[in-house]
Amino acid sequence: MTAIHHTTHTMTDKLYDDVRGVEAKIKELQKKEAPLPNFGPASFEIDAVLFDMDGTLVNSIAAVEAAWGQVADEIGQDRDYVIKATHGRRASDNLKKFKPFLKEHEIDKEVQKFEQSILDHADAYENKRRSRSNSRTSSQGSTPASSRRGSAVSSRRPSFQQQQAAALFGSFTPLDKSANSSRANLSSSELTRELARAKLTAATDEAETGVESSAVDLEEDEDDLSDLGEDMSVQILPGVRSLIDSLPEGRYAVATSGARTYAYGAMERAGIVPPKITITAEDPRLGNGKPYPDPFVLAARELGYDPKYCMVVEDSPSGIIAGVASGATTLAVCTSHTQDQIERCGAQFLTQNLEAVWVEVLPSGKLKVNIDPSRITSEIKHDATTDVGPNFKPSWARKEDKKEAKAKAEAEKQAAEATA
């Protein structure tokens, strides 16, 4: 294996020596003129996987857009412009850009306030959904079957994914870092025991009610929730759970542009156990955020590997550029951007979502990454609770499509009138 010695870094450590070379690489990649990535089946060997979080592991884009929309309103800027400009970058960098009047000592507090607002949007939607579910249950008839089903919905934990997160991180109110720090620092074996207890609790609940959690969830999913507004809940993305489950402990990390409040809060709500190495935006060892490679370089080194022997998984242009600049093999996923928006950012591989990807541990200890687009089934069946399919576009991209379609229709109308 190509493992390097695990070292403890300080704020004064350089994550890479060739600063000018990295900056030149970033500028080149930002032109979006890189060769097209590999779209077809592929396999290659690596030492570790470095994941981005939002848009890669979880979808909370509606809540994030709502939070940035509020910022846009505060400063009198166009919502679509602010949302498009902020994706994939650290909140601190974005807030410095759009709120230049903030003093340096005010940034951390402003970031925490902003990221808490994302979680608040997600929780508010989830509370409305649960209230609707409870109202529907209470309005059902009093037959034994319906009573049993209603009891199951009201007394059991919200879902098995949430049971996992609750067992590991506590309640589903916005994350209290001090209260949950002991769980966040559990060892892998301790996390496994906690997860086993969560599974046992789920099985007990089902035995007592006679209703499987998945069956109740299915009934809730069939409800028409359109009147609740845009779905702002935090959802795990297709293929994520099976991919993470296939990776050995200590062979993957998360490197996100989100600060700790949002990063841990979002993974908690999606039922993902944050890995021991989770690099968040406020880490003092980071000189720069994405599109600089600092987060991925630091994550790789903390795992004990050279980034050039790792795979970065990213969804945004700035994140993909950061992955490529780190020297890692970079896999782009079309879960928040369309293919044409990210295919020229330098990634070696591109797939619609992570259903196409699986990992095998070789006898040598290396990880063999396999990519096969034919495994993707999200067109007809979505992973977990997400409704983000391979053709998903964020709101600003959908609005741009509508503008283009309207302009095209107007042009065709004018042409028809001119020839009449």
PDB file of all heavy atoms in Angstrom, residues 42 64 80 118 123 154 157 159 208 323 364 383:
ATOM      1  N   ALA A  42     -15.796   1.480 -15.850  1.00  0.00           N
ATOM      2  CA  ALA A  42     -14.368   1.645 -15.547  1.00  0.00           C
ATOM      3  C   ALA A  42     -14.061   1.010 -14.207  1.00  0.00           C
ATOM      4  O   ALA A  42     -14.956   0.769 -13.388  1.00  0.00           O
ATOM      5  CB  ALA A  42     -13.993   3.128 -15.517  1.00  0.00           C
ATOM      6  N   VAL A  64     -30.743  24.867   1.614  1.00  0.00           N
ATOM      7  CA  VAL A  64     -29.579  25.737   1.404  1.00  0.00           C
ATOM      8  C   VAL A  64     -29.967  26.936   0.542  1.00  0.00           C
ATOM      9  O   VAL A  64     -29.604  28.082   0.838  1.00  0.00           O
ATOM     10  CB  VAL A  64     -28.424  24.949   0.750  1.00  0.00           C
ATOM     11  CG1 VAL A  64     -27.294  25.888   0.347  1.00  0.00           C
ATOM     12  CG2 VAL A  64     -27.892  23.887   1.702  1.00  0.00           C
ATOM     13  N   ASP A  80     -31.420  34.439  -7.367  1.00  0.00           N
ATOM     14  CA  ASP A  80     -30.802  33.454  -8.255  1.00  0.00           C
ATOM     15  C   ASP A  80     -29.303  33.681  -8.386  1.00  0.00           C
ATOM     16  O   ASP A  80     -28.514  32.734  -8.421  1.00  0.00           O
ATOM     17  CB  ASP A  80     -31.452  33.499  -9.637  1.00  0.00           C
ATOM     18  CG  ASP A  80     -32.860  32.915  -9.630  1.00  0.00           C
ATOM     19  OD1 ASP A  80     -33.200  32.259  -8.632  1.00  0.00           O
ATOM     20  OD2 ASP A  80     -33.603  33.122 -10.603  1.00  0.00           O
ATOM     21  N   ILE A 118     -30.205  26.845   7.781  1.00  0.00           N
ATOM     22  CA  ILE A 118     -30.425  25.741   6.841  1.00  0.00           C
ATOM     23  C   ILE A 118     -31.128  24.590   7.546  1.00  0.00           C
ATOM     24  O   ILE A 118     -32.128  24.045   7.063  1.00  0.00           O
ATOM     25  CB  ILE A 118     -29.089  25.244   6.242  1.00  0.00           C
ATOM     26  CG1 ILE A 118     -28.370  26.364   5.495  1.00  0.00           C
ATOM     27  CG2 ILE A 118     -29.337  24.051   5.320  1.00  0.00           C
ATOM     28  CD1 ILE A 118     -26.980  25.973   5.007  1.00  0.00           C
ATOM     29  N   ASP A 123     -35.862  21.281   9.287  1.00  0.00           N
ATOM     30  CA  ASP A 123     -36.666  20.796  10.411  1.00  0.00           C
ATOM     31  C   ASP A 123     -38.106  21.294  10.325  1.00  0.00           C
ATOM     32  O   ASP A 123     -39.042  20.575  10.682  1.00  0.00           O
ATOM     33  CB  ASP A 123     -36.040  21.227  11.737  1.00  0.00           C
ATOM     34  CG  ASP A 123     -34.744  20.494  12.026  1.00  0.00           C
ATOM     35  OD1 ASP A 123     -34.517  19.440  11.413  1.00  0.00           O
ATOM     36  OD2 ASP A 123     -33.958  20.979  12.867  1.00  0.00           O
ATOM     37  N   SER A 154     -47.359   6.922  15.498  1.00  0.00           N
ATOM     38  CA  SER A 154     -47.167   7.950  16.511  1.00  0.00           C
ATOM     39  C   SER A 154     -46.142   7.576  17.562  1.00  0.00           C
ATOM     40  O   SER A 154     -45.517   8.437  18.147  1.00  0.00           O
ATOM     41  CB  SER A 154     -48.511   8.246  17.199  1.00  0.00           C
ATOM     42  OG  SER A 154     -48.998   7.068  17.836  1.00  0.00           O
ATOM     43  N   ARG A 157     -40.026   5.392  16.317  1.00  0.00           N
ATOM     44  CA  ARG A 157     -39.098   6.426  15.863  1.00  0.00           C
ATOM     45  C   ARG A 157     -39.400   6.749  14.403  1.00  0.00           C
ATOM     46  O   ARG A 157     -39.896   5.905  13.672  1.00  0.00           O
ATOM     47  CB  ARG A 157     -37.658   5.947  16.026  1.00  0.00           C
ATOM     48  CG  ARG A 157     -37.225   5.957  17.484  1.00  0.00           C
ATOM     49  CD  ARG A 157     -35.931   5.189  17.665  1.00  0.00           C
ATOM     50  NE  ARG A 157     -35.472   5.268  19.027  1.00  0.00           N
ATOM     51  CZ  ARG A 157     -36.002   4.585  20.025  1.00  0.00           C
ATOM     52  NH1 ARG A 157     -37.027   3.780  19.810  1.00  0.00           N
ATOM     53  NH2 ARG A 157     -35.533   4.697  21.253  1.00  0.00           N
ATOM     54  N   SER A 159     -37.922   6.937  11.459  1.00  0.00           N
ATOM     55  CA  SER A 159     -37.524   5.994  10.438  1.00  0.00           C
ATOM     56  C   SER A 159     -36.265   5.303  10.921  1.00  0.00           C
ATOM     57  O   SER A 159     -35.610   5.762  11.856  1.00  0.00           O
ATOM     58  CB  SER A 159     -37.220   6.706   9.102  1.00  0.00           C
ATOM     59  OG  SER A 159     -36.034   7.455   9.216  1.00  0.00           O
ATOM     60  N   GLU A 208     -43.680  -5.172  18.467  1.00  0.00           N
ATOM     61  CA  GLU A 208     -44.759  -4.737  19.352  1.00  0.00           C
ATOM     62  C   GLU A 208     -45.956  -4.218  18.576  1.00  0.00           C
ATOM     63  O   GLU A 208     -47.101  -4.416  18.957  1.00  0.00           O
ATOM     64  CB  GLU A 208     -44.253  -3.646  20.297  1.00  0.00           C
ATOM     65  CG  GLU A 208     -43.263  -4.174  21.340  1.00  0.00           C
ATOM     66  CD  GLU A 208     -42.694  -3.048  22.193  1.00  0.00           C
ATOM     67  OE1 GLU A 208     -42.934  -1.870  21.838  1.00  0.00           O
ATOM     68  OE2 GLU A 208     -42.032  -3.342  23.197  1.00  0.00           O
ATOM     69  N   GLY A 323     -10.702  18.812  -6.175  1.00  0.00           N
ATOM     70  CA  GLY A 323     -10.272  17.421  -6.201  1.00  0.00           C
ATOM     71  C   GLY A 323      -9.177  17.183  -7.217  1.00  0.00           C
ATOM     72  O   GLY A 323      -8.169  16.528  -6.937  1.00  0.00           O
ATOM     73  N   SER A 364      -4.431  -7.286  -1.505  1.00  0.00           N
ATOM     74  CA  SER A 364      -3.293  -6.396  -1.256  1.00  0.00           C
ATOM     75  C   SER A 364      -3.629  -5.294  -0.264  1.00  0.00           C
ATOM     76  O   SER A 364      -2.744  -4.599   0.225  1.00  0.00           O
ATOM     77  CB  SER A 364      -2.834  -5.758  -2.569  1.00  0.00           C
ATOM     78  OG  SER A 364      -3.859  -4.920  -3.103  1.00  0.00           O
ATOM     79  N   ASP A 383     -33.342   6.012  -4.249  1.00  0.00           N
ATOM     80  CA  ASP A 383     -32.678   5.471  -3.068  1.00  0.00           C
ATOM     81  C   ASP A 383     -33.200   6.160  -1.814  1.00  0.00           C
ATOM     82  O   ASP A 383     -33.306   7.380  -1.754  1.00  0.00           O
ATOM     83  CB  ASP A 383     -31.165   5.710  -3.185  1.00  0.00           C
ATOM     84  CG  ASP A 383     -30.385   5.125  -2.033  1.00  0.00           C
ATOM     85  OD1 ASP A 383     -30.202   3.911  -2.026  1.00  0.00           O
ATOM     86  OD2 ASP A 383     -29.975   5.902  -1.154  1.00  0.00           O
TER      87      ASP A 383
END
